[in-house]
Amino acid sequence: MDKRVERTQKLLLQSLMMFNLKNKNFYEISIRDLCEQAGIARQTFYRNYLVKEDIIIRQISNVMSDFKSVLKQQSFNASGFIQLLIQFWKQNQQTFALIEWAGISNEFIRQLANFNKLVMEQHKAFGKNSEYIANYYAGATYMFLKTFMEKNDFSQEAYAKGAAVYNQLTNQCKGLFEPLN
């Protein structure tokens, strides 16, 4: 990626994070406000994005891509999967906060569903109901992560307990890791 584009994206993301920390209403922030805070021209914004939600959507994609890279480096089962996911999003709390703040959880869920399909294919669990299964687990995972983040307890005990609850509720994500009949 061009260094200027990368710099612009980073500045705009930081600006959104700053507005969020100041408890500004996402929908009241104009592109002009965002660009002034980032120190860039509005034309530069529009060369990179159509709307301000696109900044967060691109960040979700970046985080999910990073998560895929981490998972490719190790083997995992359902329990390990959710623990890694919790830890990963804990490290990306600010992005998760932006998702909530901007009200774009559906985009996160959509990207997570696509990720789930990849997990299913990797574990040869892809079948006729895969779309339903991937979407179901994506929605459940999002709500689980939201609840976990709101509790703001990131101790090892909380990770283990959270993973145990998630796995109990989702039957060990059976549909992601083995075909359902």
Side-chain angles (χ1 to χ4, degrees):
M1 181 184 304
D2 183 330
K3 292 286 184 193
R4 291 175 296 170
V5 171
E6 193 174 309
R7 180 181 172 276
T8 297
Q9 291 174 358
K10 184 177 180 180
L11 288 170
L12 287 166
L13 181 63
Q14 289 171 341
S15 294
L16 273 181
M17 287 178 178
M18 189 277 309
F19 281 120
N20 183 23
L21 289 173
K22 288 185 174 182
N23 292 320
K24 300 286 183 183
N25 183 314
F26 178 79
Y27 299 101
E28 292 176 2
I29 300 166
S30 68
I31 300 299
R32 180 181 306 241
D33 296 335
L34 194 56
C35 291
E36 284 177 8
Q37 178 64 38
I40 64 167
R42 281 189 10 206
Q43 300 91 319
T44 303
F45 174 89
Y46 288 112
R47 269 193 297 260
N48 291 276
Y49 303 103
L50 295 175
V51 294
K52 59 190 172 193
E53 289 86 349
D54 289 344
I55 299 167
I56 304 167
I57 291 169
R58 184 167 292 153
Q59 182 62 14
I60 295 169
S61 296
N62 293 341
V63 171
M64 292 302 289
S65 179
D66 291 346
F67 185 62
K68 288 175 194 173
S69 296
V70 166
L71 288 180
K72 283 181 183 177
Q73 297 170 10
Q74 51 193 290
S75 62
F76 56 93
N77 58 15
S79 184
F81 171 73
I82 193 59
Q83 285 190 37
L84 284 171
L85 191 66
I86 293 168
Q87 290 172 352
F88 204 80
W89 280 98
K90 189 267 181 201
Q91 294 167 359
N92 292 281
Q93 273 181 292
Q94 288 182 311
T95 299
F96 200 86
L98 291 178
I99 294 165
E100 285 291 297
W101 178 57
I104 58 171
S105 57
N106 284 343
E107 178 60 27
F108 176 82
I109 292 168
R110 186 189 67 74
Q111 288 194 35
L112 190 55
N114 287 335
F115 175 78
N116 287 346
K117 290 174 196 172
L118 294 174
V119 171
M120 294 168 81
E121 287 172 2
Q122 181 180 348
H123 289 91
K124 297 177 181 30
F126 207 81
K128 64 180 180 177
N129 294 317
S130 294
E131 191 79 23
Y132 291 110
I133 295 166
N135 288 335
Y136 174 81
Y137 284 128
T141 301
Y142 170 75
M143 291 306 295
F144 174 83
L145 285 171
K146 180 179 179 199
T147 303
F148 192 88
M149 296 290 200
E150 288 171 352
K151 292 197 177 292
N152 205 27
D153 178 3
F154 301 109
S155 65
Q156 287 302 319
E157 182 180 327
Y159 283 121
K161 183 178 178 183
V165 168
Y166 178 87
N167 284 323
Q168 183 179 14
L169 292 171
T170 63
N171 193 23
Q172 301 287 322
C173 291
K174 188 176 180 179
L176 295 182
F177 294 93
E178 59 185 81
L180 293 179
N181 295 331

